[in-house]
Amino acid sequence: VADFDSEMKARLLQFVTGSSGVPARGFAVLKSNDGNLRRFTINGMPATDRAIYPVTHTCFNRIDLPCYESKQVLKEMLELAIMNALAVGAGFNRE
């Protein structure tokens, strides 16, 4: 993520939380769509044939990341998942 430009960071945030902006008071007050506080959570999981891409749960501000063999593969798979969500119109209407 450190290598992402600001646009890709916003897309990652949108991919995981459903919003491309950080709350004015910071991540400590990040809420789910039911209004409850929900921390931004990264959940590691084994990479299998059925779980090769990152999966997000925007209601819980959580991303499930398979444990890839390298940081480069992680970056590529994360970018691919984000861009695929963008291609199908998963809430990426930025003005």
Side-chain angles (χ1 to χ4, degrees):
V1 174
D3 294 338
F4 286 175
D5 62 20
S6 59
E7 180 69 21
M8 187 56 90
K9 287 178 183 175
R11 289 180 177 174
L12 171 63
L13 187 60
Q14 177 93 30
F15 182 58
V16 179
T17 69
S19 174
S20 61
V22 175
R25 293 181 16 221
F27 275 96
V29 295
L30 188 64
K31 294 183 180 182
S32 62
N33 57 5
D34 65 3
N36 291 317
L37 292 178
R38 299 263 187 218
R39 292 183 179 206
F40 186 99
T41 305
I42 301 170
N43 182 47
M45 55 188 238
T48 66
D49 291 340
R50 295 186 61 182
I52 60 171
Y53 295 105
V55 175
T56 60
H57 308 275
T58 57
C59 294
F60 303 106
N61 299 329
R62 186 178 95 199
I63 184 168
D64 295 337
L65 284 176
C67 297
Y68 298 111
E69 61 270 9
S70 70
K71 287 183 181 180
Q72 182 61 35
V73 173
L74 167 62
K75 182 177 185 280
E76 290 169 5
M77 297 303 271
L78 188 54
E79 287 176 341
L80 182 62
I82 292 168
M83 297 313 289
N84 281 336
L86 175 64
V88 298
F92 286 112
N93 296 327
R94 294 196 50 182
E95 321 225 332

